[in-house]
Amino acid sequence: MTGPLVAVLDYGIGNLRSAQKALQRVGADARLTNDAGLVADAAAVVLPGVGAFGACMSALRRAALEDVAHHAVASGRPFLGVCVGMQMLFDGSEEDPAHAGLGIIPGRVCWLGTSLPRPQMQWNRLDIRRPDALFDGLGSHPWMYFVHSLHGVPADPQHVAATCQYGQSVNAAFRRGNVFATQFHPEKSGHDGLGLLANFVRQAAAA
């Protein structure tokens, strides 16, 4: 594999390998790892996640990857959070208030307030709120696949990069400095999702 080294943080929860395989498909040397040295050597870092916020945070801490994630963000390298991995970047979540998040994006993860069924489990169209290199070539309304009952509500609305509509305006993607995060699953979102990941890999190659 000749592409940039992308570390996918392996803390033992969910199908983390699907993110690794999608990144490999778009040219990354993506490795599922809990090795702090390998993460430090990577050009970019990905934090995926599925399931419950509290369980994921507990598993990340048991795997000794909390400080590793903070160091990766502080290094300025491209960092991508996906689904519950995105939620973990916030200060905390209404799903499990007893567990603190990573606090990388100030704000909280809140239940969807819609009368529509939870979770939202469907394809949905993004409304891009601010230009971002990860959206290059995707148009203004790319389609992405969602499975979630909560969304991130940042303290600074400028950190919202894209929304979608699901009985309310739902915050779907975020940008804070070198950190980009998605509530949707780009690895399950066909052409548009792979396009976003390819843009991320290009950023990694340029880092």
Side-chain angles (χ1 to χ4, degrees), residues 124-129 135 138-144 163 192:
N124 206 332
R125 190 179 73 167
L126 297 186
D127 295 313
I128 294 175
R129 298 299 187 185
F135 292 136
L138 302 184
S140 57
H141 299 292
W143 288 89
M144 300 292 179
T163 60
D192 287 343

Side-chain angles (χ1 to χ4, degrees), residues 112-164:
L112 297 177
T114 176
S115 60
L116 295 177
R118 293 193 318 215
Q120 175 184 198
M121 189 181 302
Q122 63 176 22
W123 291 80
N124 206 332
R125 190 179 73 167
L126 297 186
D127 295 313
I128 294 175
R129 298 299 187 185
R130 52 181 289 191
D132 195 285
L134 289 198
F135 292 136
D136 285 356
L138 302 184
S140 57
H141 299 292
W143 288 89
M144 300 292 179
Y145 186 71
F146 290 80
V147 182
H148 68 117
S149 297
L150 303 99
H151 71 145
V153 181
D156 184 350
Q158 292 300 312
H159 290 151
V160 177
T163 60
C164 68

Side-chain angles (χ1 to χ4, degrees), residues 47 57 60-61 66 69-70 88-91 100-104:
L47 175 61
M57 285 305 310
L60 189 78
R61 290 176 172 128
E66 181 175 17
H70 277 291
M88 294 161 72
L89 297 173
F90 282 77
D91 295 321
L102 292 169
I104 291 165

